[in-house]
């Protein structure tokens, strides 16, 4: 799922859904993404923005973001 995929970063929604996004609807339990972030430059900006949109769409607003600028 590299940044050079033609539909990056939108291809990541399926990856996140496969790994953790399905949990709330399947179990009724909350998911808190422990921490995420990094350098907010280049392709990372697209990644961070898309993950933020995805988390909000799944009702997973509780998490920790680390910016290493």
């Amino acid at each position: 799922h590299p940044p050079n995929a033609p539909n990056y970063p939108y291809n990541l929604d399926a990856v996140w859904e496969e790994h953790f996004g399905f949990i709330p609807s399947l179990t009724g339990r909350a998911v808190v993404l422990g921490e995420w972030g990094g350098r907010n430059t280049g392709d990372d900006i697209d990644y961070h923005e898309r993950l933020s949109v995805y988390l909000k769409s799944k009702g997973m607003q509780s998490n920790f973001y680390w910016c290493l600028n």
Side-chain angles (χ1 to χ4, degrees), residues 18-58:
E18 178 183 341
H19 289 278
F20 62 87
F22 67 93
I23 294 171
S25 62
L26 182 67
T27 66
R29 306 224 179 221
V31 171
V32 176
L33 192 59
E35 58 185 64
W36 59 283
R39 297 187 184 275
N40 203 32
T41 61
D43 291 327
D44 284 348
I45 293 171
D46 297 330
Y47 181 94
H48 296 163
E49 288 177 357
R50 187 68 206 158
L51 182 55
S52 177
V53 167
Y54 177 79
L55 292 173
K56 287 179 185 178
S57 77
K58 301 299 276 185

